[in-house]
Amino acid sequence: QVQLVESGGGLVQAGGSLRLSCAASGRTFSSAMGWFRQAPGKEREFVSALSWGGEITYYGDSVKGRFTISRDNTKKTVYLQMNSLKPEDTAVYYCAAYRGLHPSGEIASWGQGTQVTVSS
């Protein structure tokens, strides 16, 4: 099973940018990866995901055009570049590893989360 550790969260003003990283360790990194977020009092929400090779990417409607997901398999790291941040992007962001190579279906592992706070 893969272990995931997120970093890069913090406090930023509206309109600013942050880049989240998710470092994986364990037996394998051969899986699709994704980012989810959860704001206080709300359910966990899908943000973005990409396939093992990076050729397939998905984005939630609320982040399309502002966020970009990428990965470096040599470093076993997935990134989420977040631009034009809005106060409604404030949440705990979680990295996730899917069971398969395609970014859909069951999640095999979750990270512990990193807080992103966007001030207005």
Side-chain angles (χ1 to χ4, degrees), residues 9 28 38 52 64 80 88 106 110 118:
T28 179
Q38 188 166 20
W52 153 246
K64 281 181 182 176
L80 185 69
E88 50 264 43
E106 186 180 0
W110 291 95
V118 184

Side-chain angles (χ1 to χ4, degrees), residues 12-102:
V12 64
Q13 288 188 333
S17 298
L18 281 175
R19 188 175 82 155
L20 304 183
S21 298
C22 172
S25 61
R27 295 184 61 185
T28 179
F29 187 56
S30 298
S31 63
M33 299 294 293
W35 288 94
F36 294 75
R37 67 187 183 186
Q38 188 166 20
K42 295 187 177 181
E43 294 187 352
R44 192 166 294 189
E45 173 190 22
F46 170 77
V47 175
S48 182
L50 82 169
S51 58
W52 153 246
E55 69 278 8
I56 300 172
T57 57
Y58 296 129
Y59 294 93
D61 289 342
S62 61
V63 306
K64 281 181 182 176
R66 300 187 298 121
F67 290 11
T68 302
I69 191 171
S70 61
R71 66 190 296 164
D72 184 339
N73 290 340
T74 64
K75 297 181 179 179
K76 295 187 177 181
T77 302
V78 178
Y79 305 97
L80 185 69
Q81 177 67 42
M82 306 186 295
N83 298 328
S84 302
L85 283 162
K86 305 175 182 179
E88 50 264 43
D89 293 318
T90 296
V92 177
Y93 283 71
Y94 296 91
C95 179
Y98 290 85
R99 281 214 183 275
L101 303 180
H102 190 275

